[in-house]
Amino acid sequence: MSNIPETGRTSRVRIRLVIIQVLVLSMFVTLGGRLWYLQIRNGEEYYHEAKSNHVQRVVQPAVRGSILDARGIALADNETRLVVSASRTQLMKMKDRGKAVMTRLASVLDMAPKEVMDKVRLCDSETPKPCWNGSPYQPIPVTLEATTQQALQLRERPEDFPGITAEPTAVRRYPAPGGTRTAQVLGYLSPVTDAEIQKAKDTDSPHLRSDQVGRSGIERTYDTQLRGKAEVTSYEVDNLGRVMGQTKSDPGVPGATLVTSIDARVQSVAEFELQQAMKTVRNETDKITGRKYEADSGAVVVMETRTGRIVAMASQPDYDPNAWVGGISGTDYARLTSKSSNYPLLNRAIQGQAPAGSIFKVVSASAAVRAGYDFDGKYNCSSSYSLGGRSFANFESKGHGPITLGDALKFSCNTVFYALGHKEWQRDGGLKPNKDTHDWFYRTAREFGLGSETGVDLPNEVTGRIPDRRWKKSFWAANKDSWCKQGKKGGTYVQQIAYESCLEGNQLKAFDSINFAIGQGDVLVTPIQMATAYAAISNGGTLYNPTVGKAVISPDGKRVDMIKPASHGRLPIDAKTINDLDKGLRSVVAPGGTAAWRFGGWPLDKIPMRAKTGTAQVYGKQTTSWLATYTDDFTIVMTISQGGTGSGASGPAVRNIYNAMYGLDMAGNQDLKRALLPKPQAQLPRVNPDGSIEAPEIKPYVPPSPEELAPPALAGPPAAPPKHQD
């Protein structure tokens, strides 16, 4: 037994419990104090430190989908290049704002330091090109053409080049197969902007800062399909940038492939022949001005008549879309946007506007029939038409006596349409219009699709202009003050016109209507509008929306989404009138027609040809050449600004395009082995099991030799053109 009394033992236990309680209490006090220290006194400091432990996203941009022609030939694709990029965010954190690093980088890349610094500065309204138009938070390409040796120098000395990377990257390429650029149709890319990122963040196709987006052409129209989805891997990193773990990974998806209806071979011919026609006519003298023709711009459209699909579309002047890859230089940007180069970025097939001239007469003939005139009736084709003491001459002042509307198309007789336009203006009340005016000529023009967009799948199409009564009033209201200020009675021609417009510019006058009837005056049309209208005559009346895109194929090749032809209306005439127009247009290429001298030897029995020539007058400029044509399968419309007559300037080029497509020589002999496209391309390119698409070879276009252009039956001196060309 223990000698310690019970009371003493209890006392010791209590002492121990007290000690333990004191220790526990001390621990709680210490912990509480520490918590107060961390959360209250230094809470803000540790909050910011914790906040600096964040998620960093690493983005691997998706490979952009290819753009192919109808047979599978690449019009736009990608190639791997060594790309040197700079992180502007890191450079701006340096004391000298990265100047030393960029100077060293310039030395390695054999560039001037200023050139490197210009590339990484941000674009604004006052900063000239080159500059960076994308997000300041994404790597900015300095060069897309680094050598392996240059890349190794940068990687071996990372301490000398902080914020600089050198990586193999897929870069957009426009290979120009067969020498064809297809520039304005394809468009170009540039970096996404912060404003675009914000605008698209809640849509089905949000942008990442690394995205390149289409800025024009089909690169823009089909940007969502072509762009694909970038691979994004998210890492948790601390404030020192050390990776603490991977939090999420979203696999990327390459962009889809866009198959177009463009045939690269026909496109090559169209581009060459348009350019050659402009060069040729620049060596010819304009009889009106006594100067050489300027032929400053032009366009040609080749379209399938039964679908509206675009086979070729060329515009001059053009440019190399590769100039935009990796950021455009200041010199190239100035050239592409300057007046002296005549704005090659414009696609004049859908943005070039001019009076239609005589190719408009199919509209006027249709309007006349709707107004009650007999197509086969007789109308006086006099050498001139008088109105209010003024005489309006027929083209080259030639008359043909009483003729039908079909013959009026054949001979392109202005005075027949002058008289019809004047009579309809009078029937509608003249200067005091009736409440129920029919306005057949203006209404018919609008129902032919003029004055409105055609719906082509290319951005920035313009509407043209149909100057009816409503337009006259709105235009007068917008310009009255300027006209009244500028106008002067009895002054110069411009001052007198301004004076008259100030007083009565809101009125639709007889002069306006007779000019309108031959596609002159304030009428403005585009080549795509006229191609759509003439294709509708060919196909029986359907106005198709012109389309370049034909199908979208998934990256693995397993899914094909066809882009089906769509219509935006029908011609406002019956089948008989369409047939009458067709006959009249056939006569234009027959003996005596205004285009006959350009289609001599054409096999009309095998491949029926229809055409309408046009020569449009523009104040202060030389005449604009128009030629609208079609067969059963294709429609071709060409225009050359300040290029002279329709058949004279555009005729040879259009004939050569048809010859190449159908495999014809100038004598009308057909060799289908040489024919590029005797029928529209129905099938899509073949897709291999791995998703790749087979592409045939393409050779550059070889223009016909002088011997080929002169058939044996016409050997010797070329025949003189007819007096009346239009």
Side-chain angles (χ1 to χ4, degrees), residues 361 374-382 394 398-417 420:
K361 288 173 181 173
D374 185 358
F375 193 92
D376 293 322
K378 295 296 183 178
Y379 307 92
N380 186 29
C381 179
S382 57
N394 203 5
K398 185 176 182 180
H400 293 274
I403 59 175
T404 65
L405 289 180
D407 285 337
L409 294 175
K410 177 179 181 178
F411 301 123
S412 202
C413 181
N414 286 347
T415 52
V416 166
F417 294 101
L420 289 170

Side-chain angles (χ1 to χ4, degrees), residues 108-283:
V108 171
L109 299 178
D110 296 325
M111 298 169 66
K114 184 179 184 302
E115 187 178 358
V116 174
M117 294 176 193
D118 285 351
K119 281 181 174 286
V120 300
R121 64 185 177 178
L122 302 181
C123 292
D124 57 31
S125 59
E126 298 180 355
T127 303
K129 299 284 184 177
C131 56
W132 179 247
N133 193 41
S135 170
Y137 302 105
Q138 69 186 83
I140 301 174
V142 176
T143 180
L144 305 182
E145 301 176 346
T147 65
T148 303
Q149 185 62 34
Q150 290 169 336
L152 286 174
Q153 289 185 60
L154 298 175
R155 289 195 166 196
E156 289 173 352
R157 296 156 49 199
E159 68 280 0
D160 291 337
F161 301 99
I164 306 299
T165 57
E167 301 287 346
T169 306
V171 176
R172 202 59 163 168
R173 180 181 72 131
Y174 300 96
T180 178
R181 288 179 167 179
T182 328
Q184 294 92 345
V185 175
L186 291 173
Y188 58 90
L189 307 176
S190 72
V192 66
T193 64
D194 284 344
E196 289 169 330
I197 292 174
Q198 289 299 314
K199 184 178 180 180
K201 68 178 182 179
D202 295 326
T203 68
D204 294 334
S205 181
H207 288 301
L208 297 174
R209 295 193 183 279
S210 58
D211 281 344
Q212 294 268 323
V213 296
R215 293 299 178 198
S216 69
I218 52 179
E219 287 277 29
R220 175 174 166 182
T221 302
Y222 296 98
D223 180 72
T224 301
Q225 296 92 327
L226 291 166
R227 195 180 342 130
K229 180 183 177 184
E231 177 182 339
V232 181
T233 304
S234 300
Y235 296 95
E236 186 178 356
V237 297
D238 62 16
N239 63 326
L240 297 178
R242 294 172 297 199
V243 176
M244 301 174 67
Q246 181 176 321
T247 62
K248 187 179 180 182
S249 179
D250 292 328
V253 179
T257 297
L258 176 67
V259 178
T260 70
S261 55
I262 297 290
D263 187 300
R265 302 166 302 173
V266 180
Q267 179 72 24
S268 178
V269 177
E271 289 185 10
F272 177 87
E273 291 297 342
L274 173 62
Q275 191 173 41
Q276 188 61 38
M278 293 169 64
K279 287 181 179 178
T280 299
V281 78
R282 287 180 190 137
N283 293 320

